[in-house]
Amino acid sequence: MLPSLIDQAERLVELGLVEATGALSADDLLGAAERLGTSAGAGALLVVADGVLPPSALVPRLRRSVGGRDPGDKRGFVVTDMSDIDDFAPTPTTVVPDALVYAVADPDRGDAMRDWSGAEAEAAILERGRTPFTIAEGVHWALQAPEVLARNACYMMIGSRLPKAKGFDSRTPALWISNGTGWDGRERRGAPKAGWCWWNNRHTWLGFASGVERVA
Protein backbone atom coordinates (compact mmCIF):
# COMPACT_ATOMS: atom_id res chain seq x y z
CA MET A 1 0.00 0.00 0.00
CA LEU A 2 2.99 2.30 0.36
CA PRO A 3 5.03 3.97 -2.40
CA SER A 4 8.83 3.98 -2.26
CA LEU A 5 10.57 5.97 0.47
CA ILE A 6 11.72 8.49 -2.13
CA ASP A 7 8.14 8.97 -3.32
CA GLN A 8 7.00 9.37 0.28
CA ALA A 9 9.67 12.03 0.85
CA GLU A 10 8.62 13.87 -2.29
CA ARG A 11 5.01 13.89 -1.10
CA LEU A 12 6.00 15.50 2.20
CA VAL A 13 7.95 18.12 0.26
CA GLU A 14 5.04 18.78 -2.12
CA LEU A 15 2.73 19.31 0.85
CA GLY A 16 5.05 22.02 2.17
CA LEU A 17 5.58 20.15 5.42
CA VAL A 18 9.36 19.99 5.19
CA GLU A 19 9.79 23.68 4.47
CA ALA A 20 7.58 24.52 7.44
CA THR A 21 9.80 22.66 9.93
CA GLY A 22 12.80 24.95 9.63
CA ALA A 23 14.91 22.01 10.82
CA LEU A 24 14.99 19.84 7.73
CA SER A 25 15.56 20.71 4.07
CA ALA A 26 14.05 18.91 1.10
CA ASP A 27 17.52 17.69 0.14
CA ASP A 28 18.07 16.35 3.65
CA LEU A 29 14.80 14.43 3.54
CA LEU A 30 15.36 13.03 0.07
CA GLY A 31 18.87 12.00 1.01
CA ALA A 32 17.64 10.22 4.12
CA ALA A 33 14.92 8.45 2.13
CA GLU A 34 17.46 7.24 -0.42
CA ARG A 35 19.75 5.93 2.32
CA LEU A 36 16.94 4.23 4.23
CA GLY A 37 15.66 2.61 1.06
CA THR A 38 18.65 0.27 1.11
CA SER A 39 18.10 -0.93 4.67
CA ALA A 40 14.40 -0.69 5.52
CA GLY A 41 13.09 -2.91 2.75
CA ALA A 42 10.12 -2.57 0.42
CA GLY A 43 6.85 -1.37 1.90
CA ALA A 44 8.48 0.58 4.74
CA LEU A 45 7.02 3.82 6.07
CA LEU A 46 9.05 7.05 6.08
CA VAL A 47 8.67 9.07 9.28
CA VAL A 48 9.88 12.54 10.23
CA ALA A 49 10.43 12.72 13.99
CA ASP A 50 7.56 14.27 15.90
CA GLY A 51 9.95 16.82 17.39
CA VAL A 52 10.25 18.19 13.85
CA LEU A 53 6.75 17.47 12.53
CA PRO A 54 4.37 17.16 15.50
CA PRO A 55 1.04 15.36 15.08
CA SER A 56 -0.87 18.65 15.36
CA ALA A 57 0.83 19.82 12.16
CA LEU A 58 0.37 16.52 10.32
CA VAL A 59 -3.25 15.66 11.07
CA PRO A 60 -4.79 18.66 9.22
CA ARG A 61 -2.92 17.51 6.08
CA LEU A 62 -4.83 14.24 6.00
CA ARG A 63 -7.48 14.05 3.28
CA ARG A 64 -10.25 11.60 2.47
CA SER A 65 -12.56 11.83 -0.53
CA VAL A 66 -16.14 10.80 0.19
CA GLY A 67 -19.43 10.71 -1.68
CA GLY A 68 -22.97 10.01 -0.56
CA ARG A 69 -24.89 12.50 1.55
CA ASP A 70 -21.86 14.63 2.37
CA PRO A 71 -19.55 14.53 -0.64
CA GLY A 72 -16.22 16.30 -0.79
CA ASP A 73 -12.56 16.19 0.10
CA LYS A 74 -12.57 15.91 3.89
CA ARG A 75 -9.70 17.36 5.90
CA GLY A 76 -8.23 15.59 8.95
CA PHE A 77 -8.75 17.05 12.41
CA VAL A 78 -7.87 16.50 16.07
CA VAL A 79 -10.79 16.11 18.47
CA THR A 80 -11.42 19.09 20.72
CA ASP A 81 -10.64 17.21 23.94
CA MET A 82 -7.18 16.16 22.73
CA SER A 83 -5.60 19.58 22.28
CA ASP A 84 -2.55 18.15 24.08
CA ILE A 85 -1.88 15.61 21.32
CA ASP A 86 1.73 16.80 20.94
CA ASP A 87 2.41 16.00 24.61
CA PHE A 88 1.89 12.28 24.06
CA ALA A 89 5.28 10.55 24.01
CA PRO A 90 6.72 7.11 23.15
CA THR A 91 6.25 4.58 25.95
CA PRO A 92 9.30 2.95 27.59
CA THR A 93 8.84 -0.16 25.43
CA THR A 94 8.55 1.90 22.23
CA VAL A 95 12.10 2.78 21.27
CA VAL A 96 12.19 5.55 18.66
CA PRO A 97 15.55 6.39 17.02
CA ASP A 98 17.26 9.65 17.89
CA ALA A 99 17.08 10.78 14.27
CA LEU A 100 15.23 13.44 12.32
CA VAL A 101 14.11 10.85 9.76
CA TYR A 102 13.66 7.10 10.07
CA ALA A 103 11.65 4.26 8.58
CA VAL A 104 9.29 1.67 10.05
CA ALA A 105 9.43 -1.76 8.41
CA ASP A 106 6.34 -3.86 7.65
CA PRO A 107 3.49 -1.64 8.91
CA ASP A 108 0.34 -3.56 9.84
CA ARG A 109 -3.07 -2.22 10.82
CA GLY A 110 -3.67 -4.96 13.39
CA ASP A 111 -7.09 -5.97 12.09
CA ALA A 112 -6.87 -9.29 13.93
CA MET A 113 -6.80 -7.35 17.21
CA ARG A 114 -10.02 -5.42 16.64
CA ASP A 115 -12.20 -5.56 19.76
CA TRP A 116 -9.15 -6.04 21.98
CA SER A 117 -8.15 -3.81 24.88
CA GLY A 118 -4.96 -1.75 24.72
CA ALA A 119 -3.30 -3.92 27.34
CA GLU A 120 -4.08 -7.13 25.46
CA ALA A 121 -2.85 -5.71 22.16
CA GLU A 122 0.36 -4.32 23.63
CA ALA A 123 1.28 -7.69 25.14
CA ALA A 124 0.56 -9.53 21.89
CA ILE A 125 2.48 -7.04 19.72
CA LEU A 126 5.57 -7.25 21.91
CA GLU A 127 5.35 -11.03 22.16
CA ARG A 128 5.39 -11.21 18.35
CA GLY A 129 8.57 -9.15 18.21
CA ARG A 130 6.82 -6.12 16.77
CA THR A 131 6.55 -2.53 18.01
CA PRO A 132 3.36 -0.45 18.36
CA PHE A 133 3.02 2.70 16.27
CA THR A 134 3.39 6.15 17.78
CA ILE A 135 0.93 8.89 16.85
CA ALA A 136 3.41 10.42 14.40
CA GLU A 137 3.90 7.07 12.67
CA GLY A 138 0.19 6.39 12.43
CA VAL A 139 -0.53 9.80 10.93
CA HIS A 140 2.36 9.53 8.46
CA TRP A 141 0.90 6.21 7.31
CA ALA A 142 -2.54 7.65 6.63
CA LEU A 143 -0.92 10.64 4.93
CA GLN A 144 0.96 8.40 2.49
CA ALA A 145 -1.78 5.77 2.07
CA PRO A 146 -5.21 7.33 2.75
CA GLU A 147 -6.92 4.03 1.98
CA VAL A 148 -5.48 2.54 5.17
CA LEU A 149 -8.37 4.28 6.97
CA ALA A 150 -11.55 2.44 6.05
CA ARG A 151 -14.98 2.23 7.59
CA ASN A 152 -14.89 -0.34 10.40
CA ALA A 153 -11.14 -0.88 9.92
CA CYS A 154 -8.98 1.83 11.48
CA TYR A 155 -6.35 1.71 14.22
CA MET A 156 -5.03 2.77 17.59
CA MET A 157 -1.47 4.00 18.15
CA ILE A 158 -0.53 2.71 21.58
CA GLY A 159 3.18 3.40 21.18
CA SER A 160 2.34 6.94 22.35
CA ARG A 161 0.87 7.66 25.79
CA LEU A 162 0.58 10.80 27.90
CA PRO A 163 2.81 10.44 31.00
CA LYS A 164 1.39 11.29 34.41
CA ALA A 165 2.97 11.41 37.86
CA LYS A 166 2.10 7.72 38.15
CA GLY A 167 1.68 5.79 34.94
CA PHE A 168 -0.19 7.17 31.95
CA ASP A 169 -3.33 9.12 31.11
CA SER A 170 -6.08 6.64 30.25
CA ARG A 171 -6.74 8.36 26.92
CA THR A 172 -5.18 6.24 24.21
CA PRO A 173 -4.61 7.75 20.73
CA ALA A 174 -6.40 6.41 17.69
CA LEU A 175 -7.08 7.38 14.10
CA TRP A 176 -10.45 6.69 12.53
CA ILE A 177 -13.23 8.15 10.38
CA SER A 178 -15.66 10.65 11.84
CA ASN A 179 -19.41 10.04 11.69
CA GLY A 180 -19.99 13.78 11.88
CA THR A 181 -21.82 13.57 15.20
CA GLY A 182 -21.41 15.52 18.44
CA TRP A 183 -18.56 18.00 18.62
CA ASP A 184 -17.16 16.79 15.29
CA GLY A 185 -19.91 18.56 13.34
CA ARG A 186 -21.90 17.36 10.34
CA GLU A 187 -19.43 18.96 7.93
CA ARG A 188 -16.74 16.55 9.13
CA ARG A 189 -18.66 13.39 8.37
CA GLY A 190 -16.23 11.04 6.62
CA ALA A 191 -13.11 12.99 7.64
CA PRO A 192 -9.96 11.42 9.14
CA LYS A 193 -10.11 11.94 12.88
CA ALA A 194 -7.30 11.85 15.46
CA GLY A 195 -8.85 11.13 18.81
CA TRP A 196 -8.67 8.80 21.74
CA CYS A 197 -10.29 5.81 23.43
CA TRP A 198 -9.98 4.56 26.99
CA TRP A 199 -7.05 2.17 27.50
CA ASN A 200 -9.20 -0.76 28.68
CA ASN A 201 -12.09 -0.28 26.26
CA ARG A 202 -12.71 -2.45 23.19
CA HIS A 203 -13.79 -1.22 19.77
CA THR A 204 -14.84 -3.43 16.90
CA TRP A 205 -13.58 -0.95 14.29
CA LEU A 206 -10.11 -0.33 15.75
CA GLY A 207 -7.04 -2.50 15.32
CA PHE A 208 -3.59 -1.69 16.70
CA ALA A 209 -0.99 -0.44 14.22
CA SER A 210 2.51 -1.85 14.53
CA GLY A 211 5.75 -2.44 12.65
CA VAL A 212 8.62 -4.91 12.78
CA GLU A 213 11.37 -2.40 13.52
CA ARG A 214 12.50 1.20 13.19
CA VAL A 215 15.49 1.83 10.96
CA ALA A 216 17.56 5.02 11.16
Side-chain angles (χ1 to χ4, degrees):
M1 297 177 67
L2 280 168
S4 71
L5 294 183
I6 289 290
D7 287 342
Q8 292 180 50
E10 289 177 344
R11 174 161 171 73
L12 295 177
V13 172
E14 289 169 0
L15 290 172
L17 285 166
V18 177
E19 181 181 319
T21 68
L24 189 67
S25 72
D27 287 343
D28 290 338
L29 181 60
L30 291 167
E34 183 176 7
R35 174 178 55 80
L36 290 167
T38 64
S39 54
L45 172 68
L46 188 71
V47 180
V48 176
D50 58 9
V52 178
L53 276 181
S56 62
L58 283 172
V59 173
R61 300 299 186 122
L62 296 175
R63 295 291 186 275
R64 184 171 179 271
S65 296
V66 300
R69 290 181 295 167
D70 301 285
D73 195 29
K74 304 292 183 173
R75 176 181 176 179
F77 68 100
V78 179
V79 295
T80 57
D81 51 355
M82 200 176 179
S83 59
D84 53 358
I85 189 171
D86 292 341
D87 295 331
F88 283 66
T91 65
T93 58
T94 304
V95 181
V96 175
D98 183 16
L100 295 182
V101 184
Y102 63 94
V104 183
D106 190 29
D108 181 80
R109 195 166 58 186
D111 289 356
M113 298 181 188
R114 279 183 285 179
D115 210 25
W116 289 25
S117 70
E120 291 168 339
E122 181 181 52
I125 288 170
L126 296 177
E127 183 178 342
R128 295 169 188 177
R130 297 180 65 86
T131 179
F133 265 24
T134 64
I135 299 175
E137 293 161 0
V139 179
H140 271 88
W141 195 14
L143 188 67
Q144 299 288 354
E147 65 274 14
V148 78
L149 292 180
R151 284 289 181 191
N152 301 315
C154 298
Y155 51 87
M156 298 185 74
M157 301 163 290
I158 59 174
S160 292
R161 302 287 302 276
L162 182 63
K164 297 180 66 176
K166 292 184 178 180
F168 298 102
D169 191 288
S170 292
R171 291 174 300 160
T172 309
L175 199 59
W176 73 99
I177 298 169
S178 173
N179 284 326
T181 58
W183 290 347
D184 291 1
R186 170 68 180 272
E187 71 280 2
R188 285 174 165 164
R189 179 179 173 83
K193 170 180 177 177
W196 57 272
C197 302
W198 299 120
W199 175 249
N200 287 315
N201 281 9
R202 304 168 186 274
H203 300 279
T204 58
W205 69 93
L206 291 175
F208 293 82
S210 70
V212 168
E213 63 175 340
R214 296 176 178 88
V215 181

